[in-house]
Every structure is written in structure tokens, then in C-alpha cells.
Amino acid sequence: MTSSNPKFELRGINHLALVCADMKRTIDFYTGILGMPLIKTLDLPGGLGQHFFFDCGNGNTVAFFWLADSPDAAPGIAAPKGRPDEGELASAIGSMNHVAFAVPPEKFDEYRARLEAAGVEVSRILNHDDSPQGVSKDVHAGTFVRSFYFQDPDGVLLEFACWTREFTEADVAHEPRTAADRKTPSAS
């Protein structure tokens, strides 16, 4: 998939910075289980914490802060409480909902099995399509991406995804919603 940006020559994601509770446990998961090489480590000035970078392919990185004064996790606010296949998708405006890593379609099923074998709880496979349900049991001509979800030790929602077809102009067909369209939380 390629895209042309006439305003800026963007080359992907340099890094996505997340926050963890335990840097050693994060290294164990991202390097030990997902195989991402740890490529840069920093101690932040003044005892603030640490900032570590993992190579996630094609020059892109996922980074983690360990901050000495981070508040506790806030599932359902800062990130989803669980996985989409469990009906959990909501997170607050400005939050990071999930990170989707691109994987080769021919390795998709193998990678899911490897994570399961490593003891990682994974979702069912979702064949995303344009049906009213948004997913189908089987891959068909309308399926545009296959994915499954799992969480890291801090509850960060992760996804392995592979595109299944090229996009066309017909794939951009929805009127964007505005802040006025939001459901306001009910007062308790």
C-alpha cells in the first residue's frame, strides 16, 4: 500500500511512545515474546525515569517511558478495558486506543499460533469488512484486513493485522461525524 502526500514527505511512524509500569517486564514482552530488538535506552534527567525504543520493522519503533511518578492505569479511559472481541473498544478522547502491527498475510495464522504457544491470550480472528457487523467469519472479496488482538503486560491493546486488498475511491464513502454527534455520558 502506498500513498502520496503532496504536503509532507512522511515516511511512516518514527516512534509511538507509551508508558509502562515495569520496564524489565516490558522488555521481556516486546523483545522476549514479540522479538522486537531493543535499540536505544535512555535514563531521563533528574531521576524522571527511562525511555526505551524497540524496532518494530521498516525503520519504525515503539518506545516506552517508565516514569517515576506515573499515575496508575485507567482502563476504559486511557485505553480500552479489554479486547474488541470482548465488546471493549471505548477509550477517552486523546487516548491511545491500540497499536496495530503490520504482518505478512502468509504468516498471519502462524504468528497467532506462536503467541498462543507463548501463553499470550489472543482474540478470535476478525475478518474486517464493510458489512453492518464490520466483520465476517470467512475471508471474502469485501474483506480489507484480517486481524487479531492481544494485550501487553500493562494492558496496552495490540493488534497483528494484514491488508487483504488494495483500497479504491469507493473505500472513502462515509460522512465524518462531529463533536455534536457524540453521545454525552449520563450523569450518575
Side-chain angles (χ1 to χ4, degrees):
M1 300 231 142
T2 59
S3 178
S4 177
N5 181 338
K7 295 186 184 259
F8 298 97
E9 185 183 337
L10 301 179
R11 296 180 175 184
I13 303 293
N14 179 284
H15 70 277
L16 171 67
L18 304 168
V19 178
C20 68
D22 182 320
M23 191 64 83
K24 182 174 180 343
R25 184 178 69 181
T26 297
I27 292 167
D28 290 346
F29 183 80
Y30 284 86
T31 297
I33 300 226
L34 297 184
M36 293 182 191
L38 180 62
I39 60 169
K40 178 66 177 164
T41 64
L42 300 165
D43 276 330
L44 301 174
L48 248 110
Q50 297 182 312
H51 196 29
F52 285 20
F53 294 77
F54 299 85
D55 179 346
C56 65
N58 294 326
N60 302 303
T61 61
V62 174
F64 283 86
F65 282 106
W66 175 88
L67 301 168
D69 61 355
S70 288
D72 288 339
I77 299 172
K81 290 179 187 174
R83 298 186 323 250
D85 66 312
E86 300 168 328
E88 298 290 345
L89 190 59
S91 62
I93 292 170
S95 68
M96 196 281 310
N97 189 274
H98 70 278
V99 180
F101 296 106
V103 299
E106 65 277 7
K107 302 242 181 194
F108 179 80
D109 294 312
E110 174 192 338
Y111 288 178
R112 184 173 181 278
R114 282 161 118 190
L115 286 174
E116 282 185 310
V120 176
E121 190 175 322
V122 297
S123 75
R124 64 186 174 92
I125 293 172
L126 300 174
N127 299 306
H128 302 269
D129 65 8
D130 292 323
S131 70
Q133 296 77 26
V135 295
S136 63
K137 182 179 177 206
D138 300 307
V139 177
H140 58 85
T143 303
F144 57 89
V145 68
R146 299 185 76 212
S147 73
F148 64 85
Y149 298 85
F150 54 102
Q151 290 172 290
D152 84 354
D154 285 306
V156 173
L157 184 60
L158 304 173
E159 176 184 18
F160 275 7
C162 60
W163 298 116
T164 59
R165 65 175 175 84
E166 293 289 324
F167 292 120
T168 68
E169 288 182 16
D171 285 301
V172 180
H174 298 83
E175 188 64 33
R177 300 288 177 105
T178 68
D181 296 320
R182 290 184 59 227
K183 296 177 187 174
T184 54
S186 59
S188 299

